[in-house]
Amino acid sequence: MAGYATTRSSAGRIVELAAIVIAAIIVLHIIFVLVGANGGNSIVSTDADWASTLAAWFRDLFTPSNYKLAVVVNYGLAALFYLAIGRIVAALVNRV
């Protein structure tokens, strides 16, 4: 019975870890935008592509005139969304 509880707990941790990794990719993009990282760099451009795909629902949710503020608000909401949903799903997985 102890092995079953460990498996449930591990599955929830994997779900939560996936959400944290997704949020980290999005937050890294926010940081790159704020510090003005070179968009031609392969790391920066790859992260921007991934973050853009992951935050697709939130990209133009708010449209302030300042680009950096728009990125912080929209992508920040996406990161918070993934963290919240990851936590909820992990809790549900652990209950089942």
Side-chain angles (χ1 to χ4, degrees), residues 2-79:
Y4 178 70
T6 303
T7 303
R8 285 188 353 196
S9 173
S10 295
R13 287 183 187 154
I14 290 170
V15 169
E16 197 165 4
L17 179 62
I20 290 169
V21 168
I22 290 170
I25 290 168
I26 294 170
V27 169
L28 186 60
H29 175 65
I30 293 170
I31 292 168
F32 284 154
V33 168
L34 289 176
V35 299
N38 177 10
N41 180 285
S42 61
I43 294 172
V44 175
S45 65
T46 300
D47 181 69
D49 290 342
W50 290 1
S52 177
T53 300
L54 293 168
W57 297 340
F58 298 91
R59 263 196 315 245
D60 295 322
L61 189 60
F62 297 102
T63 55
S65 58
N66 184 330
Y67 174 72
K68 289 183 179 183
L69 178 61
V71 169
V72 169
V73 170
N74 293 322
Y75 283 76
L77 282 174

Side-chain angles (χ1 to χ4, degrees), residues 70-88:
V71 169
V72 169
V73 170
N74 293 322
Y75 283 76
L77 282 174
L80 291 174
F81 172 80
Y82 279 110
L83 289 174
I85 294 301
R87 184 77 168 170
I88 291 167

